[in-house]
Amino acid sequence: MGGDHGPSVTIPAALSFVNREPDAELILIGLEDVLRAELKKHHADTHPRLSIVHASEQVTMDDPLEVALRRKKDSSMRVAIEQVKSGNAQAAVSAGNTGALMAVARYVLKTMSGVDRPAICSIMPNQKNGPTYMLDLGANVDCEPHHLHQFAIMGSVLVSAMENIERPTIGLLNVGTEDIKGNEVVKATGKLLQLDHERGALNFFGNVEGNDIFKGTTDLVVCDGFTGNVTLKAVEGVARFFADTVRTEFKRTPLTMLSALLGRGALTAIKNRLSPSRYNGASLLGLRGLVFKSHGGADAYSFEWAIKRAYDAAKNDVLPHISTLIAELMPRNTETPEVATAPAIVSSAAGLVAGSTI
Amino acid sequence: MGGDHGPSVTIPAALSFVNREPDAELILIGLEDVLRAELKKHHADTHPRLSIVHASEQVTMDDPLEVALRRKKDSSMRVAIEQVKSGNAQAAVSAGNTGALMAVARYVLKTMSGVDRPAICSIMPNQKNGPTYMLDLGANVDCEPHHLHQFAIMGSVLVSAMENIERPTIGLLNVGTEDIKGNEVVKATGKLLQLDHERGALNFFGNVEGNDIFKGTTDLVVCDGFTGNVTLKAVEGVARFFADTVRTEFKRTPLTMLSALLGRGALTAIKNRLSPSRYNGASLLGLRGLVFKSHGGADAYSFEWAIKRAYDAAKNDVLPHISTLIAELMPRNTETPEVATAPAIVSSAAGLVAGSTI
């Protein structure tokens, strides 16, 4: 039901996905009438690998976390996550409110053993024409070194599974590349990651700077949720500024309009390189279940990529792999009892570049 | 002597500036022979308002802080700052290594009474076609609320003097706009700024997000140097990614090349809006003297803007105004003795957007 466009985007995406993946089954969660009507439009209301589970409510973009958590117990978001909890589904995908999604997922699924805090891992396009994975993007604003360490472990497993890279390179986001650079938390994190690197457990590249995200210096960039959120929103802001400026300037005179017409191929290619649809789908990592967040403004093609990411993560056993590596690298933490922490306070930080329109 | 191009840029900029400002005098610092030869090229070796002070060394972009501070005591950077210290000059402008400039300026000039830490304030273009001032951009990676509070005071005075705005709006960079958002330092800072707002001393807008920098939501954006540095380098990275993609895509076919030719006006306008030369010149604030940092890659037109900013800051009494407002708003701190702290560890974060080429 989620996102800016609702079932008119999610249903065609779901259909295209099940038709492309002959082993996949999808459960559609939401208002049964609405979903069935949309399926009928596509002559797919009897598709053998699509089923519907009714949910009477929806979490809106403006709903406070309280409402998503305590009031709307039959929201499509919550019911979807409960499908994962019960084992009916191997992963959930939502285009809804990121903060609510993380809070509900954390409440229903609980945090994975050995992980102190779940994190949001998103994907940025880079100049090497590949993806740069980055976490955390907003769930954790005050981080200790062991939190960033856990983010690195979870992110490394995710990249490895999704991109088929045996030892993904991990960069620690910092103000300079030398070891002596950075604030106290980052310097201490660097030491933890270096130890893991030396025993061959993680492929720690070292410190990276803000521009390295887009250079593609490392496969994964690790940072606290405050820095990650601010950085990605700033990048989104620049992308929008750029897009608006291009649009305005090419509409200014008949000559520039002609230029835009002739250069349409170039303009479309620029848009696709900078906001690639295939990078839609941020992962909520560190939970006892797989949850993926599509950008709210995604079109059907882009939403299908979020579904595909969730499917690949389930098929490639991302959860048990994270669990194993966390237990191996953070042995002291695996016995920590689940602590009831406040729900994550996040904003919609996921898939920012992917969502900006040029 | 500084920057990527040295006197071939700085001398024409200096000449153009003194000719435009009939009350201004400039002291050129560096290798006397080289500077005199460059002046001669422009038939200006006897200009009445241009003088030369010889300095036998230069700080390079790769020099460690140690070298800039302890070894090169006759560097053009150091001698320029000593001109400010002695009162011979009212401000210094350099296009050299930002970290070295801050360290040398701090060592020679000392920190202003009542200020715990100097900060770097840069200027970003925004969608309202105006400037967004932002600090700190890399000098202070671990900040307490009273540091951010001081940054807000200093930045507010700077914007007021430079932009002729009586009560500049101040935004606190955060992961969301609500008061409850953010890490502990930011939340405590918000309370300090709110108090100043209530007594009419500062015009605190509230929290802003990363994209607000480019929307131009507030005149000033305040953040710690870690977040500021990472954010601005990420923005620089995206800008470069844009620029490279635009260049590549418009060169791909004869049709797109024709389009670029016809749309040259639009492409130039886009470049100028996103990397405006007039925003060159970051301020090192909180020192007992005015120091400005030009982007290293600045051309003569852009370097002249950095000189003009330094001149305006001196003419508009930015230093005494900062001093007064700090004393007023932080009375307990004005008696604090000068503490010998470690030199600031910074990277060249200043003027990033201004420096990216499209």
Side-chain angles (χ1 to χ4, degrees):
Chain A
M1 303 299 293
D4 302 349
H5 313 294
S8 70
V9 152
T10 54
I11 296 287
L15 268 172
S16 167
F17 176 76
V18 287
N19 289 335
R20 211 185 292 263
E21 294 283 354
D23 296 329
E25 288 179 39
L26 282 179
I27 308 168
L28 309 169
I29 322 273
L31 296 171
E32 185 164 3
D33 294 352
V34 174
L35 298 177
R36 200 164 296 285
E38 188 69 34
L39 280 176
K40 228 173 215 155
K41 256 198 227 167
H42 298 275
H43 314 289
D45 46 327
T46 56
H47 196 293
R49 287 181 289 115
L50 279 181
S51 56
I52 294 177
V53 167
H54 179 67
S56 62
E57 296 172 303
Q58 286 131 55
V59 174
T60 69
M61 293 311 276
D62 302 323
D63 277 341
L65 293 186
E66 278 303 296
V67 171
L69 270 177
R70 319 254 172 245
R71 305 251 183 91
K72 295 189 171 174
K73 297 202 172 169
D74 198 38
S75 70
S76 52
M77 186 184 273
R78 174 121 174 209
V79 173
I81 293 169
E82 277 165 353
Q83 294 288 316
V84 176
K85 169 87 174 171
S86 70
N88 263 8
Q90 276 65 60
V93 181
S94 167
N97 183 324
T98 312
L101 186 65
M102 179 56 107
V104 171
R106 209 166 158 169
Y107 179 77
V108 171
L109 293 173
K110 311 297 178 207
T111 303
M112 186 185 273
S113 175
V115 173
D116 289 283
R117 296 181 183 178
I120 301 173
C121 187
S122 194
I123 318 167
M124 303 290 118
N126 68 39
Q127 289 191 277
K128 291 182 175 164
N129 214 1
T132 302
Y133 285 69
M134 183 167 167
L135 85 170
D136 173 45
L137 291 195
N140 304 284
V141 291
D142 278 300
C143 287
E144 297 296 322
H146 68 279
H147 298 134
L148 295 178
H149 186 198
Q150 290 168 10
F151 299 167
I153 296 169
M154 297 192 294
S156 177
V157 170
L158 182 74
V159 177
S160 184
M162 304 298 273
E163 304 295 327
N164 202 15
I165 300 173
E166 204 182 329
R167 291 168 53 74
T169 49
I170 301 168
L172 182 61
L173 195 59
N174 204 339
V175 297
T177 54
E178 306 89 333
D179 290 348
I180 55 149
K181 289 286 175 83
N183 58 29
E184 295 308 319
V185 170
V186 165
K187 280 191 270 190
T189 307
K191 284 179 192 155
L192 293 174
L193 293 175
Q194 189 54 39
L195 282 176
D196 284 341
H197 182 78
E198 281 160 16
R199 53 177 159 156
L202 291 178
N203 189 3
F204 180 47
F205 172 87
N207 291 328
V208 294
E209 302 182 77
N211 50 340
D212 288 304
I213 303 166
F214 302 97
K215 273 192 198 165
T217 307
T218 56
D219 300 313
L220 177 69
V221 171
V222 174
C223 63
D224 68 87
F226 188 90
T227 309
N229 183 293
V230 165
T231 302
L232 272 293
K233 283 185 186 154
V235 164
E236 179 196 41
V238 172
R240 196 147 293 158
F241 188 9
F242 179 74
D244 289 350
T245 305
V246 169
R247 208 176 293 118
T248 309
E249 292 303 334
F250 274 105
K251 276 188 186 155
R252 202 174 283 283
T253 68
L255 193 65
T256 57
M257 283 191 276
L258 176 63
S259 156
L261 197 68
L262 295 176
R264 204 152 67 176
L267 289 169
T268 305
I270 291 165
K271 179 184 160 176
N272 289 341
R273 274 221 57 198
L274 300 175
S275 351
S277 302
R278 69 184 189 280
Y279 293 167
N280 187 31
S283 318
L284 277 54
L285 292 177
L287 300 164
R288 297 172 192 238
L290 290 171
V291 180
F292 279 75
K293 164 72 176 92
S294 160
H295 197 280
D299 60 13
Y301 176 75
S302 180
F303 190 78
E304 188 183 341
W305 271 101
I307 305 175
K308 179 165 165 46
R309 294 200 155 266
Y311 180 72
D312 287 350
K315 223 174 63 173
N316 294 323
D317 295 325
V318 163
L319 274 195
H321 284 147
I322 290 180
S323 204
T324 305
L325 200 59
I326 287 279
E328 188 188 323
L329 299 185
M330 312 209 76
R332 285 160 311 170
N333 278 27
T334 50
E335 311 257 322
T336 310
E338 177 88 7
V339 185
T341 46
I345 299 166
V346 297
S347 298
S348 59
L352 293 172
V353 168
S356 60
T357 46
I358 295 201
Chain B
M1 303 300 291
D4 302 348
H5 313 295
S8 71
V9 152
T10 55
I11 297 287
L15 268 172
S16 167
F17 176 76
V18 286
N19 289 335
R20 211 184 292 261
E21 294 282 354
D23 296 328
E25 287 180 39
L26 282 180
I27 308 167
L28 310 168
I29 322 273
L31 297 171
E32 186 165 2
D33 294 353
V34 174
L35 298 178
R36 202 166 294 285
E38 188 69 33
L39 281 175
K40 229 174 214 151
K41 256 197 225 166
H42 299 273
H43 314 290
D45 46 329
T46 58
H47 195 293
R49 289 181 285 116
L50 279 180
S51 58
I52 293 177
V53 167
H54 179 67
S56 62
E57 297 173 302
Q58 288 130 54
V59 175
T60 69
M61 293 310 278
D62 302 323
D63 278 340
L65 294 186
E66 277 302 296
V67 171
L69 271 176
R70 320 252 172 246
R71 305 251 183 91
K72 294 188 170 173
K73 298 203 173 170
D74 198 37
S75 69
S76 51
M77 185 183 275
R78 174 121 174 208
V79 173
I81 292 168
E82 277 163 353
Q83 294 288 315
V84 176
K85 168 87 174 171
S86 70
N88 264 6
Q90 276 64 60
V93 181
S94 168
N97 183 323
T98 312
L101 185 65
M102 178 55 108
V104 171
R106 207 165 161 170
Y107 180 77
V108 171
L109 294 173
K110 310 298 178 205
T111 303
M112 186 185 274
S113 175
V115 173
D116 289 285
R117 296 179 182 178
I120 301 172
C121 187
S122 194
I123 317 168
M124 303 291 117
N126 67 40
Q127 289 190 276
K128 291 181 177 165
N129 215 2
T132 302
Y133 284 69
M134 182 167 165
L135 85 170
D136 173 46
L137 291 195
N140 305 285
V141 292
D142 278 300
C143 287
E144 297 296 322
H146 68 279
H147 298 133
L148 295 178
H149 186 197
Q150 290 168 13
F151 298 167
I153 296 168
M154 299 193 292
S156 178
V157 171
L158 182 74
V159 177
S160 184
M162 305 298 273
E163 303 295 328
N164 201 16
I165 300 173
E166 205 181 328
R167 292 168 51 74
T169 48
I170 301 168
L172 182 61
L173 195 59
N174 204 339
V175 297
T177 53
E178 305 90 333
D179 291 349
I180 55 149
K181 289 287 176 83
N183 59 29
E184 294 308 320
V185 170
V186 166
K187 279 192 272 188
T189 306
K191 284 179 193 154
L192 294 174
L193 294 174
Q194 190 53 39
L195 281 177
D196 283 342
H197 182 77
E198 282 161 16
R199 53 177 161 158
L202 291 178
N203 189 3
F204 180 48
F205 171 87
N207 292 327
V208 294
E209 303 182 77
N211 49 340
D212 288 304
I213 303 166
F214 302 96
K215 274 192 197 165
T217 307
T218 57
D219 300 314
L220 177 68
V221 171
V222 174
C223 62
D224 68 87
F226 187 90
T227 309
N229 183 295
V230 165
T231 302
L232 272 295
K233 283 186 187 154
V235 164
E236 181 195 39
V238 172
R240 196 148 291 158
F241 188 9
F242 283 158
D244 290 350
T245 306
V246 168
R247 209 175 294 115
T248 309
E249 293 302 334
F250 274 104
K251 276 188 185 152
R252 201 174 284 283
T253 68
L255 193 65
T256 57
M257 282 192 276
L258 176 62
S259 156
L261 197 68
L262 295 177
R264 203 152 67 175
L267 290 169
T268 305
I270 291 164
K271 178 185 159 174
N272 289 343
R273 276 221 57 198
L274 301 175
S275 350
S277 302
R278 70 183 189 279
Y279 294 166
N280 188 30
S283 319
L284 277 54
L285 292 177
L287 300 164
R288 296 171 191 240
L290 290 171
V291 180
F292 279 74
K293 163 73 176 88
S294 160
H295 198 280
D299 60 13
Y301 175 76
S302 178
F303 190 77
E304 188 184 341
W305 272 101
I307 304 175
K308 180 166 165 45
R309 296 200 153 264
Y311 180 71
D312 288 349
K315 225 174 59 173
N316 294 323
D317 296 324
V318 163
L319 274 195
H321 284 147
I322 289 179
S323 205
T324 306
L325 199 59
I326 286 279
E328 187 188 324
L329 300 185
M330 313 208 77
R332 285 159 312 170
N333 278 26
T334 51
E335 310 257 322
T336 311
E338 176 87 7
V339 185
T341 46
I345 298 167
V346 297
S347 297
S348 60
L352 293 172
V353 168
S356 60
T357 45
I358 295 201

